[in-house]
Amino acid sequence: MNLVWFRNDLRLQDNPALHAAADRGPVLACYLLTPGQWRRHRMAGARVDFILRSLRYLSEDLARLNIPLVIEQANFFDDVAPVILSLAKRFKVSAAFWNEEYPLDEQRRDEAVADLLLASGVVVNRFHDRVIAPPGTVLKSDGRPYRVFTPFKRTWLQLADAGVPDILPVPAAQAAVPIPSSAIPETPAGFSTGVDPGLWPAGEREAMKRLRLFGRLKLKSYPEQRDIPAVAGTSILSPYLAVGAVSPQQCLRLALQHRQEAGEGAACWINELAWRDFYQHLVVAFPQICKGRPFKTETARIAWRDAPHDFERWCQGNTGVPIVDAGMRQLLATGWMHNRVRMITAMFLSKNLLIDWRRGEAYFMEHLIDGDFAANNGGWQWSASTGTDAVPYFRVFNPFSQAARFDPEGIYIRRFVPALKTVDTADLHDPLRLEKVRPSGYPEVIVDLKKSRLAAIAAFKSVG
Ligand SMILES: Cc1cc2nc3c(=O)[nH]c(=O)nc-3n(C[C@H](O)[C@H](O)[C@H](O)COP(=O)(O)OP(=O)(O)OC[C@H]3O[C@@H](n4cnc5c(N)ncnc54)[C@H](O)[C@@H]3O)c2cc1C
C-alpha cells in the first residue's frame, strides 16, 4: 500500500505526491489533525473550519477514485511520527508520499516522520507543490540565497519562463480497497469562529471556479484594481492557496494562458506569485525567521511600547482611524483583509503605535482564514521595516492619505464602520475635520499621527 499524507495540499489535480503514489498504486490517503500544535501556531478558528470543510470535499473526491481517507489525531507535531508509523503498520504501507511544508516546525516534524518510517523499511518520497520554484533553486551566482526581492524575481522568472511543467492530472480510479474512510471530525475545542462559512465555500472545484473567473474577468484590470479595497479586484484565492485547494503552478499557468489579452495584468499578478515564493524561500534559507526573530537583527533592540489598551483598540478596530478600523473589522467579520489594508494596519501598529510587530503577526494568524506563516511573517516584517527588503523605516504611511488615495469615496470604510455612514467623504479623510463631525459612537483618533511618526523614526534610528 502507498500512503499519501495530505497536509496543505487538499486537492487531486496537480498534486505531485498523490500523482506519484497513484502511479505505483494502490493508494491510501491520510490527514492528521494536530489541534495542540495549531493552538501553539495560533491558527484561526476560521481556518480550522475551512480545513475541515475542505477535507469533506477531498474525501468525496478521493472516494470517487476508490481512495479511502483516514483521519487521525496527534496533538502536537512531536506526536505525529508514531501515529504515521502505526498507520503504516496497520495498512502494510511500503511507501509514503507527501508534499513539503517549509517552516521550521513542519520541517522538523517531517524529518522525524521520515526517520521513523525509513527505520521501519518504508520508503519516503517528498515533493514540492507549495511553490513554483522549490526553495534552494533560486540562488545568486555565488550560490547564496537572495535577500532582495527584485533580483530574486529576475532569476525566478527565468526558471518560470524556461518551462512551466504540465499540470498533473487527477489520477485514474483504482480498484476498490477494503478500508473505510473516516468521518470528518467535529471542530476541535478552542477553534470556534464567527466567520460565516457561506463567505468561503470550500473545495477544489470552488477554487478552480474562482481561478478561472479571475482569469476571465479580472486579470486584465488587476494593476488598476488591486489596491482598491472597496472592489474585489484581486483573486481572493489566498485561503484556497493556503489549504492547497489550488496550486501556485495552476495559478501561474492560468496567468500565462491569459498573457496575450491580459498583458500587464498577467505580469503584475505573476509578480505577486513571485512574492509568495520569495517569502517561502526565506523561511528555508533563514530559519531564524521561524523563531520570532527579525530579519534585521538590530531591530530586535527597538523599545516597543507596552500598551495593552492601545493594542486592544487596534485589534477591535477602535483606533479612530477609519481605514485602520475598517480593515480590522473586515478581518474580524470575514477572516480576510485586503492586501493594501493589511499593509496600512500593520504599519499603523508597528510605527504609529510602536507596538511590537510580533503581536500583530500573532493576532493576524489568530483571525486570518488564509493564515500562512511565511506570507504573514513576510508581510509583517515588510510593514514594520524589520525584514529583508522591507519598506524603509522612515517611510511611514499616513493612514488618512492612504485612505484618500485608495478608498477615495470611503465606500470600504463605510462598509465596515457603519458609524461613519453619514460622515462626508472629505471629513473621513482628514483627522481635524473628522474630529469636528465625529459621531458619538466612533472613537477619537488614538494617537497624534505626526508625533507618533517622528517617535517611530527616532526609535529605529536609535538602534542604528
Ligand atoms: C501584514 C501582512 C500579512 C499578510 N499575511 C498573509 C497570510 O497570512 N497569508 C497570505 O496568503 N498572504 C498574506 N499576506 C499577503 C497578501 O495580503 C495576501 O496574500 C492577499 O491579500 C491575498 O489576496 P488575494 O488572494 O486576492 O491576492 P492576489 O492579489 O490575487 O494574489 C494572488 C496570490 O499571491 C499571493 N500573494 C499576493 N500578495 C502577496 C504578498 N504580498 N506576499 C505573499 N504572497 C502574496 C497570495 O497567495 C495570493 O492569494 C499578508 C500581507 C501583509 C502586508
Side-chain angles (χ1 to χ4, degrees), residues 222 234-238 269 272 276 339 342 370 372 376:
Y222 183 72
T234 63
S235 69
I236 317 192
L237 275 170
S238 50
W269 201 55
E272 296 311 307
R276 186 179 172 282
N339 180 59
R342 290 188 206 207
D370 65 12
D372 172 89
N376 192 42

Side-chain angles (χ1 to χ4, degrees), residues 399-409 413 429:
F400 283 90
S401 322
Q402 287 279 312
R405 185 161 163 212
F406 298 112
D407 189 28
E409 309 296 328
I413 289 174
H429 297 321

Side-chain angles (χ1 to χ4, degrees), residues 141-444:
S141 52
D142 63 5
R144 287 192 298 171
Y146 286 102
R147 291 162 177 258
V148 178
F149 175 69
T150 306
F152 168 90
K153 193 186 93 178
R154 232 175 274 130
T155 309
W156 181 91
L157 269 179
Q158 282 165 10
L159 287 180
D161 275 349
V164 183
D166 287 339
I167 298 302
L168 298 168
V170 174
Q174 65 185 20
V177 291
I179 302 171
S181 287
S182 308
I184 305 300
E186 294 296 313
T187 307
F191 291 105
S192 61
T193 173
V195 172
D196 174 6
L199 289 176
W200 302 104
E204 184 173 356
R205 265 180 292 282
E206 176 69 26
M208 289 311 293
K209 190 174 90 188
R210 285 177 177 233
L211 176 62
R212 285 195 204 103
L213 274 176
F214 174 71
R216 266 213 327 271
L217 305 178
K218 306 215 169 129
L219 189 59
K220 193 165 191 290
S221 56
Y222 183 72
E224 301 84 51
Q225 301 285 317
R226 60 188 286 259
D227 272 319
I228 313 293
V231 301
T234 63
S235 69
I236 317 192
L237 275 170
S238 50
Y240 300 86
L241 277 160
V243 297
V246 62
S247 75
Q249 292 282 2
Q250 288 171 302
C251 294
L252 177 62
R253 273 238 155 223
L254 175 111
L256 293 175
Q257 273 162 12
H258 288 272
R259 193 146 59 170
Q260 205 79 49
E261 81 271 10
E264 183 51 30
C268 188
W269 201 55
I270 290 172
N271 194 59
E272 296 311 307
L273 297 175
W275 270 108
R276 186 179 172 282
D277 265 26
F278 180 57
Y279 287 139
Q280 299 283 342
H281 284 225
L282 286 182
V283 299
V284 176
F286 306 101
Q288 68 269 27
I289 290 173
C290 304
K291 296 178 182 163
R293 299 202 198 130
F295 198 92
K296 286 193 181 127
T297 48
E298 70 277 13
T299 62
R301 298 197 305 274
I302 286 179
W304 302 107
R305 285 173 66 233
D306 179 25
H309 184 62
D310 287 358
F311 181 65
E312 194 49 32
R313 281 181 65 179
W314 176 84
C315 290
Q316 298 307 323
N318 280 322
T319 65
V321 179
I323 190 79
V324 172
D325 294 343
M328 299 310 291
R329 293 182 195 196
Q330 180 180 31
L331 177 63
L332 288 176
T334 70
W336 190 85
M337 197 197 294
H338 188 278
N339 180 59
R340 169 60 47 184
V341 193
R342 290 188 206 207
M343 294 193 285
I344 296 170
T345 53
M347 200 178 283
F348 188 75
L349 183 81
S350 55
K351 301 281 177 59
N352 296 94
L353 296 182
L354 203 61
I355 290 177
D356 193 331
W357 58 274
R358 284 163 287 211
R359 298 202 62 194
E361 180 196 19
Y363 185 77
F364 266 32
M365 279 310 267
E366 284 163 11
H367 294 277
L368 279 173
I369 193 167
D370 65 12
D372 172 89
F373 176 77
N376 192 42
N377 182 277
W380 271 94
Q381 294 223 49
W382 183 91
S383 309
S385 305
T386 64
T388 175
D389 205 6
V391 65
Y393 70 84
F394 47 83
R395 221 186 109 210
V396 180
F397 288 172
N398 178 320
F400 283 90
S401 322
Q402 287 279 312
R405 185 161 163 212
F406 298 112
D407 189 28
E409 309 296 328
I411 296 170
Y412 174 78
I413 289 174
R414 291 196 190 87
R415 188 180 300 155
F416 289 103
V417 189
L420 297 174
K421 270 211 159 93
T422 53
V423 173
D424 274 0
T425 302
D427 297 333
L428 268 187
H429 297 321
D430 180 326
L432 297 177
R433 290 177 62 158
L434 179 60
E435 185 48 32
K436 285 193 191 125
V437 298
R438 186 166 55 83
S440 58
Y442 191 67
E444 224 178 294

